[in-house]
Amino acid sequence: MSPEIELKDEAHTNEKIELIKGDPKAAIRAIAWPMIITLVLNMVYNMVDRVWVSGLGSDPLAALGFVTPLFIIYGGLANGFGAGANSLISRYIGSDDRENASNSALHGVLTGIIISILLIIIVIPCLDPMLVAMGASSVMQYAKPYAAIITLGSFTIIFNGILSSELRAEGDVKRATLALAFTGILNMIIDPIFIYTLGWGVEGAAIATILSALVATCLMIYWMFIKKDTYVDLSRKQFKYSNKIMKELMSVSIPASVEQLIISLISIILNALIAMVASTQIVAGFTAAFSIIQVFMMTTVGICTSAITVAGVGFGAHDYDKVNTTCYYSMKISLIVAVIAVIIIQLFAPQLALLFSYSETSANLGPIITEILRILSFFLVAIPIGFSCACVFQGMGKGTISLILTVLRELVLVLVFTLIFIFIFHTGHYGIYYGMILGALLGSIIGLIVFRGYMRRIRKYRT
């Protein structure tokens, strides 16, 4: 590489670092929107799997719904360990410790290798009983091959989560976005080819997903390990195993991953409850509707995930006003976008439902999806406050607090309200939707109260 290019890359890197150390509102805006684009595209390509698979009939679509919790587990581990690396790296950047920031990034990569190996060793031999426990026994011929292929290729999901988070930790959202966006676009292109042209059906959807993800993995490995133009130095000489770094990494990664596993667990429970009180068509309708809701949720996830980096830098620099501003600003813009999303869904639910009811075999799903969409749209305004608080706690390295809030919001409150609606008020599958909304709303309010109390205590302690 020529000296001129090296100087240009170093100047660009310094500019990114100054951005995340500056005005938190500007930093969130700069990081969030590329992040949102990435997340939406990735959710769209997951939804595209379901759109194309829905053309095969309601049973294959329901199979993807039953396997979704397993997919969430893999993504949850990727996002959880990515959040841990992001939090630790950004805190070291905030305290101007480049050496430990680099070493932390390498520790993050090491954990990714270990997790990828363990997933295959643990999941593949236990796949049949796991799928039965998830309620997929009636569609096992579709669910098992899809789950097996996704599991064998799960290393791409893990490394994409960790490496993209490490890029975002230093403000390099453009390349993280480029890699993951290319994955989404490629999957949309090759999905129908693998499913219909090659005649591989559900298996083709899984293969397309993993091959597309592999492209992003290769791109980020090139940038970070071969081109080496990042703020963190990922050369082997920078790696010095540290119990302290590993402990700090785990203090966020494990709780953040468990949070995702809890979300997966509640998805399994909700699917089982729907299967108990309604037909396979309702399960398919819920799978389709919630896929659309998740796309709209990505605006909140993108905004709040950017708060991990900004809050981490502020906390590392002991600038608690910046941490506070980060939390409230991410709440504000997340809520505004969520309200707009609700309006769009209420107006265009039938048109959105057509994505999953375009064929003769799935046309009867249209009214079901439309009705569920209009109810679940209010879930979008119930989550921003709680999710903002949880992400800021992760940024500060307080993963356990974030985990407790998630357990309360997602597992306890959502499940309690759902069971009350189903078994006491006898609302059938509608009770699941009402329980999700009310549980998330109350959990978010509690999260805000805890955040405000924590910030008051930490300011009092520091002064």
Side-chain angles (χ1 to χ4, degrees):
M1 184 182 293
S2 69
E4 292 82 2
I5 294 176
E6 288 182 352
L7 287 172
K8 183 178 179 180
D9 287 340
E10 183 176 352
H12 182 58
T13 299
N14 290 336
E15 181 182 334
K16 292 180 294 184
I17 297 300
E18 290 304 313
L19 171 68
I20 60 176
K21 286 185 173 182
D23 177 18
K25 294 181 180 180
I28 287 174
R29 288 195 299 270
I31 297 173
W33 296 114
M35 181 71 182
I36 290 169
I37 292 170
T38 301
L39 290 167
V40 168
L41 281 173
N42 277 283
M43 284 307 306
V44 166
Y45 93 69
N46 287 331
M47 188 174 71
V48 164
D49 272 354
R50 297 176 181 182
V51 169
W52 288 115
V53 168
S54 68
L56 300 172
S58 59
D59 279 357
L61 180 59
L64 263 64
F66 286 120
V67 175
T68 293
L70 194 62
F71 203 105
I72 293 173
I73 289 173
Y74 302 154
L77 288 169
N79 293 333
F81 279 83
N86 188 334
S87 172
L88 188 54
I89 293 166
S90 61
R91 278 181 276 141
Y92 278 125
I93 289 173
S95 59
D96 296 317
D97 189 345
R98 188 172 188 173
E99 181 179 347
N100 274 322
S102 299
N103 201 18
S104 298
L106 287 164
H107 277 69
V109 172
L110 175 62
T111 59
I113 294 171
I114 295 170
I115 294 166
S116 298
I117 294 171
L118 289 177
L119 279 178
I120 294 174
I121 293 173
I122 294 171
V123 175
I124 291 296
C126 305
L127 197 55
D128 280 4
M130 287 177 65
L131 290 172
V132 170
M134 291 176 183
S137 55
S138 63
V139 289
M140 187 66 80
Q141 71 271 31
Y142 302 111
K144 184 177 179 179
Y146 186 87
I149 294 167
I150 293 296
T151 300
L152 291 172
S154 59
F155 71 94
T156 62
I157 300 169
I158 300 298
F159 275 98
N160 286 351
I162 292 174
L163 296 179
S164 63
S165 292
E166 292 185 350
L167 286 171
R168 288 194 299 273
E170 60 178 63
D172 193 353
V173 289
K174 289 184 179 178
R175 286 195 295 188
T177 300
L178 178 63
L180 298 179
F182 186 76
T183 293
I185 294 168
L186 179 61
N187 189 69
M188 293 179 211
I189 294 171
I190 66 176
D191 236 349
I193 297 173
F194 282 33
I195 294 172
Y196 294 107
T197 305
L198 298 178
W200 291 351
V202 171
E203 294 96 323
I207 294 170
T209 296
I210 294 303
L211 286 180
S212 302
L214 183 60
V215 173
T217 308
C218 292
L219 275 174
M220 287 186 283
I221 287 174
Y222 168 73
W223 290 327
M224 301 175 78
F225 290 92
I226 299 174
K227 192 178 181 184
K228 296 181 179 179
D229 62 347
T230 52
Y231 175 82
V232 294
D233 183 355
L234 296 182
S235 57
R236 192 168 60 179
K237 65 182 180 181
Q238 292 294 327
F239 181 76
K240 301 178 184 65
Y241 182 81
S242 166
N243 285 328
K244 177 177 180 290
I245 287 178
M246 189 60 78
K247 182 180 178 181
E248 290 185 353
L249 184 64
M250 293 298 107
S251 71
V252 175
S253 298
I254 292 177
S257 297
V258 173
E259 287 182 37
Q260 298 295 322
L261 296 179
I262 288 169
I263 294 171
S264 179
L265 176 61
I266 196 66
S267 295
I268 294 171
I269 295 171
L270 294 180
N271 276 334
L273 287 171
I274 292 176
M276 183 189 304
V277 300
S279 65
T280 302
Q281 283 190 338
I282 297 296
V283 175
F286 175 75
T287 299
F290 200 62
S291 296
I292 297 169
I293 294 296
Q294 285 177 312
V295 172
F296 285 97
M297 281 173 58
M298 290 305 104
T299 55
T300 293
V301 174
I303 293 164
C304 296
T305 301
S306 69
I308 297 176
T309 299
V310 182
V313 171
F315 193 76
H318 305 293
D319 187 344
Y320 305 118
D321 286 336
K322 178 178 285 188
V323 174
N324 212 45
T325 300
T326 298
C327 188
Y328 285 107
Y329 188 68
S330 63
M331 285 182 202
K332 177 183 175 181
I333 55 178
S334 295
L335 280 170
I336 291 171
V337 175
V339 169
I340 295 171
V342 171
I343 295 171
I344 291 172
I345 292 172
Q346 292 297 322
L347 291 175
F348 300 104
Q351 290 77 15
L352 293 169
L354 283 174
L355 290 170
F356 295 92
S357 55
Y358 60 88
S359 69
E360 289 184 10
T361 55
S362 59
N364 58 334
L365 292 177
I368 297 172
I369 297 170
T370 299
E371 183 182 33
I372 297 173
L373 264 179
R374 284 181 168 149
I375 298 171
L376 282 182
S377 66
F378 294 102
F379 182 71
L380 296 171
V381 295
I383 60 173
I385 294 174
F387 199 61
S388 294
C389 294
C391 286
V392 170
F393 274 124
Q394 288 178 8
M396 293 189 288
K398 310 303 175 185
T400 302
I401 298 176
S402 177
L403 172 60
I404 292 170
L405 292 175
T406 300
V407 169
L408 180 64
R409 184 179 67 247
E410 298 290 343
L411 188 58
V412 177
L413 293 174
V414 167
L415 187 56
V416 166
F417 278 117
T418 296
L419 293 174
I420 289 172
F421 278 115
I422 291 176
F423 295 109
I424 295 179
F425 294 108
H426 305 290
T427 54
H429 64 97
Y430 296 102
I432 294 169
Y433 320 140
Y434 304 151
M436 289 173 63
I437 296 166
L438 289 179
L441 182 60
L442 182 56
S444 289
I445 293 170
I446 293 171
L448 179 59
I449 293 169
V450 172
F451 174 75
R452 289 168 65 91
Y454 183 85
M455 293 307 295
R456 281 196 299 268
R457 285 195 300 274
I458 199 170
R459 282 190 171 118
K460 183 179 178 180
Y461 174 77
R462 293 295 181 180
T463 55

